[in-house]
Amino acid sequence: MSQIDPGTPTWLAARNDRAAFRLLLEHGPLTRSRLGELTGLSKPTASQMLARLERVGLIHPVGERSAGRGPNAITYGVRTDRITGVAISILDRAIQAVVVDAVDHEHPIVQIATDGLDRSPEGDVRVAVRAACAEAGIAEDTVSRVMIGVQAAFFVDGDELSFTDTLPGWPAVGARARIERELGLEVTIDNDVNLATMAERSSGVAQDAASFALFWIGDGLGVGLDLGGVVHRGASGGAGEIGYLAVPRTAEPLAPGANDFTDLLGGPAVARLLGSDGETLADVLPRLAHVDAAMSALADRVILAVNPLLAILDPSMIVLGGPTGTAGGARLVELVAERVDAAAHPKLALRTSGTGAQPVLLGARQQLVEQIRDHLEADISLST
């Protein structure tokens, strides 16, 4: 990128153009007059900004707005066909995907069963991109990047995966590089709970928390650690893998024979709490809120996992998320709060996740939106 000297007309034009572009992203389509009002610049200057942004292909006319007695004013909006991405969540038995664009339109989410697929990093991503684009009516050749949430630990610097039980066909080293090489995409891989944690910080219940831990309770377990707005991943990407932690001796009366926290709180354990050994977690969770004894027993187990988090991190908030945490809702939060040592943690808040049914995809989507916008903004400087 060429260096632009601060204070020069070229630098000022680039700065104004970036500000105008961000306003179009924030407010949607704008007329020249409205853009001038929002920027505090004159109409001729607003016209010049719009002309430059249109010339480099970042915006286009999208309609007209009545201007009273005079001719209708043209409205300009951000082009969403220039660059798109696909957010992907790879689950145990399915792949979920959704198209993402610069203005964060709501595109349909697709779910692809993994049974019968020839699994590989590039194969899984190719299938996900193709299905998401077809469902959204988007051309595949506009997709330049993907954000992938995996049920595994990912070490970015080494392109290394660990705890990959749900990723058959994925190598321990080099998955990102393979996808980029085979599909020509820019690839970001992250742990699924970390992405859900980012979503909780940006649009969930933890927006104002100084620090928080998202305790994900589902078929597997995980903890997302947000320290002052930054997700802590650990030296090798394995921070928060609480499911593999050995349970304390006090767990024996609650779950005889449990070796780790997955044995204590994972999908099969919760199904047994609800009197079923043969059903899946998804099958039994609708009953959870209606069985008081099961809720109480679940809270007895959850506090055993929460206590180490409180002792080591002392966060200002614990968020219960994942399928089980969400199904337990406010009642589970209440029962767990009763079991917290209030004297040791007087400022602790406990909450249920507020990010909806697709927190991993939401987190991946939010990260992709920012990546796409940053890329488009870089084009403004390059073209100035």
Side-chain angles (χ1 to χ4, degrees):
M1 181 184 300
S2 61
Q3 183 67 37
I4 301 174
D5 293 330
T8 64
T10 299
W11 178 84
L12 289 170
R15 188 188 67 171
N16 288 341
D17 291 352
R18 285 194 294 271
F21 185 65
R22 280 284 171 173
L23 286 169
L24 286 160
L25 288 168
E26 179 183 351
H27 293 275
L30 298 172
T31 63
R32 178 193 63 167
S33 296
R34 182 58 179 151
L35 182 61
E37 292 171 3
L38 291 170
T39 59
L41 300 172
S42 66
K43 289 182 181 179
T45 301
S47 293
Q48 292 169 5
M49 291 189 296
L50 290 170
R52 287 192 296 266
L53 292 173
E54 185 177 12
R55 186 170 62 248
V56 297
L58 294 179
I59 67 172
H60 60 165
V62 295
E64 294 184 349
R65 192 167 295 167
S66 174
R69 295 181 179 179
N72 289 345
I74 297 173
T75 57
Y76 292 86
V78 174
R79 287 182 57 177
T80 58
D81 59 345
R82 172 83 175 268
I83 295 176
T84 61
V86 175
I88 301 168
S89 175
I90 300 185
L91 309 175
D92 192 7
R93 301 177 187 86
I95 300 171
Q96 297 174 337
V98 63
V99 166
V100 178
D101 59 41
V103 299
D104 199 18
H105 279 136
E106 290 285 345
H107 293 289
I109 295 171
V110 295
Q111 180 157 309
I112 308 111
T114 55
D115 292 342
L117 290 183
D118 185 12
R119 303 293 299 278
S120 68
E122 65 274 21
D124 285 357
V125 172
R126 182 184 291 111
V127 166
V129 169
R130 186 169 297 157
C133 288
E135 188 69 19
I138 299 292
E140 287 183 46
D141 60 9
T142 67
V143 176
S144 66
R145 62 200 63 223
V146 292
M147 174 76 68
I148 309 166
V150 294
Q151 296 178 342
F154 184 68
F155 178 43
V156 175
D157 293 342
D159 194 3
E160 298 172 11
L161 286 162
S162 54
F163 308 115
T164 55
D165 302 350
T166 62
L167 295 170
W170 285 57
V173 178
R176 182 186 61 212
R178 274 179 58 172
I179 300 167
E180 291 181 337
R181 182 178 65 249
E182 296 297 324
L183 303 185
L185 299 172
E186 185 173 322
V187 177
T188 306
I189 300 174
D190 207 341
N191 171 262
D192 57 345
V193 180
N194 285 343
L195 288 171
T197 301
M198 294 179 213
E200 205 68 60
R201 164 65 75 181
S202 62
S203 56
V205 298
Q207 295 178 55
D208 299 321
S211 61
F212 74 97
L214 170 65
F215 184 21
W216 181 278
I217 316 170
D219 281 311
L221 308 179
V223 177
L225 308 171
D226 179 300
L227 306 177
V230 178
V231 173
H232 176 69
R233 292 177 170 81
S236 60
E241 294 292 346
I242 198 172
Y244 300 91
L245 187 67
V247 296
R249 286 194 299 268
T250 51
E252 180 63 23
L254 302 177
N259 295 308
D260 57 29
F261 277 104
T262 301
D263 291 340
L264 191 69
L265 280 164
V270 174
R272 285 192 292 273
L273 277 180
L274 288 162
S276 175
D277 264 332
E279 294 181 281
T280 67
L281 181 64
D283 291 332
V284 302
L285 279 183
R287 303 200 297 267
L288 178 61
H290 307 290
V291 183
D292 290 341
M295 286 281 275
S296 181
L298 179 61
D300 288 338
R301 298 181 182 206
V302 169
I303 193 62
L304 293 179
V306 166
N307 278 334
L309 300 178
L310 298 179
I312 295 169
L313 298 172
D314 190 24
S316 61
M317 181 180 292
I318 295 284
V319 180
L320 301 185
T324 303
T326 303
R331 179 56 179 158
L332 180 60
V333 165
E334 180 185 7
L335 290 169
V336 173
E338 290 173 358
R339 290 157 172 78
V340 171
D341 184 344
H345 305 284
K347 299 186 182 302
L348 177 69
L350 277 123
R351 299 285 186 270
T352 303
S353 173
T355 52
Q358 305 286 350
V360 177
L361 277 184
L362 177 59
R365 202 175 89 195
Q366 291 170 342
Q367 298 304 305
L368 265 182
V369 168
E370 287 307 310
Q371 285 187 8
I372 292 169
R373 291 179 176 182
D374 288 345
H375 182 93
L376 292 174
E377 280 194 32
D379 285 352
I380 296 172
S381 297
L382 286 170
S383 62
T384 301

